[in-house]
Amino acid sequence: MKKLIILLAFVMQIFAQDLIKVGMSPGFAPFGYIKDEKIVGFDIDLVNEIAKVLDIKVEFVPMDFDALMGAVKLGKIDVIASGLSNTPARAKNVEFSDIYYTGSNCFLRLKSRTDIKDLNNLVVGVQLGSIQAAMLNEIPSAKPFLNSEISNLILALVNGKIDAVIVDKLVARGYLNTYKEIEIFKDIKEKGGTSFAFAKGNIKLRDDFNKALEIIKSQGIYEKLLEKYEM
């Protein structure tokens, strides 16, 4: 009887792990965003392909970007898939997958503000908890304007409430198409890259994702997703 109970508990544990909760920030095109009331994007498609390889189910959990690290630490989600930059500081708190994308950041200004050449003594918009916020900390004279939504930062820039915004260049692309009055005035290549993140100690899920990524790349699926989102 005791052995049967142990076996049932083991089986229940397996099924409990079949559903993986994936945290993402929905205002982060092309990585993750809302279209026609559905969550879509490069990260979404990539995780769904990984789920096929691993034969698991995924549930996407939208939340503010700055809440993602705390959520994975507390076990509210199993994975962060939201264009998250792989940094040494973050690696102290989470397990990172292999880097699956390397991009760059850019500085945005109004086209009418040709006087802006750098960020010294300017009010600069950055997303809460982002790598861009960390970048801004390295410019002591800059005055941070923090918000959890990039769209709010862009609106503040367009309305003249702030002087500039630092954002991922891919993410900036969509806003540049929408708001013709803003432009890029400086690019900065990302030092690391983008990874999935897992709770500290969750080595198995991290390794499973890495193996699945290898398979997806070997099958040409990864390249097709890059083409789909013009990355």
Side-chain angles (χ1 to χ4, degrees):
M1 185 66 179
K2 186 177 181 182
K3 288 183 178 179
L4 179 60
I5 293 172
I6 293 172
L7 179 59
L8 286 172
F10 179 69
V11 171
M12 289 176 67
Q13 184 181 20
I14 291 174
F15 279 104
Q17 292 174 347
D18 276 347
L19 178 65
I20 303 298
K21 292 188 176 182
V22 182
M24 54 81 66
S25 180
F28 209 58
F31 294 99
Y33 55 103
I34 306 294
K35 183 178 181 181
D36 299 328
E37 299 183 356
K38 293 182 180 179
I39 298 173
V40 297
F42 176 77
D43 279 346
I44 310 307
D45 287 358
L46 187 57
V47 169
N48 281 329
E49 292 295 338
I50 288 171
K52 291 177 186 177
V53 173
L54 299 179
D55 193 24
I56 58 174
K57 296 178 181 179
V58 295
E59 176 189 342
F60 292 98
V61 183
M63 60 181 67
D64 288 343
F65 187 85
D66 60 316
L68 289 168
M69 295 290 281
V72 77
K73 185 177 180 180
L74 294 172
K76 294 180 179 179
I77 56 176
D78 302 293
V79 189
I80 298 174
S82 196
L84 188 70
S85 295
N86 185 327
T87 68
R90 285 174 174 163
K92 294 177 182 178
N93 300 301
V94 296
E95 303 291 347
F96 274 122
S97 71
D98 294 337
I99 290 171
Y100 64 86
Y101 186 79
T102 301
S104 60
N105 296 289
C106 65
F107 299 169
L108 301 178
R109 68 184 180 190
L110 288 172
K111 289 180 179 178
S112 59
R113 293 294 309 274
T114 54
D115 58 304
I116 295 178
K117 306 298 181 183
D118 55 44
L119 302 181
N120 291 324
N121 302 311
L122 298 184
V123 179
V124 183
V126 285
Q127 188 179 37
L128 276 166
S130 68
I131 188 68
Q132 292 82 20
M135 288 170 56
L136 192 60
N137 287 336
E138 298 176 6
I139 309 173
S141 63
K143 303 167 186 175
F145 180 90
L146 302 172
N147 197 281
S148 60
E149 297 293 335
I150 293 175
S151 57
N152 291 337
L153 299 174
I154 299 298
L155 285 174
L157 178 63
V158 170
N159 292 324
K161 295 181 179 180
I162 59 178
D163 300 301
V165 171
I166 309 177
V167 68
D168 182 279
K169 193 172 182 179
L170 270 179
V171 176
R173 185 177 63 192
Y175 292 107
L176 290 168
N177 290 333
T178 303
Y179 300 97
K180 303 300 183 182
E181 61 268 53
I182 62 177
E183 65 181 4
I184 295 173
F185 68 96
K186 188 175 181 179
D187 286 347
I188 297 181
K189 190 71 177 177
E190 191 170 341
K191 293 180 180 179
T194 300
S195 295
F196 298 116
F198 312 83
K200 203 69 178 173
N202 196 351
I203 305 298
K204 184 183 184 306
L205 189 57
R206 180 202 67 186
D207 290 348
D208 286 346
F209 263 60
N210 284 339
K211 290 173 185 175
L213 274 171
E214 289 179 14
I215 293 170
I216 289 167
K217 288 181 178 181
S218 69
Q219 294 176 340
I221 296 171
Y222 176 80
E223 286 297 327
K224 288 181 181 178
L225 290 180
L226 289 177
E227 291 174 9
K228 177 181 177 180
Y229 291 98
E230 299 179 347
M231 296 169 67

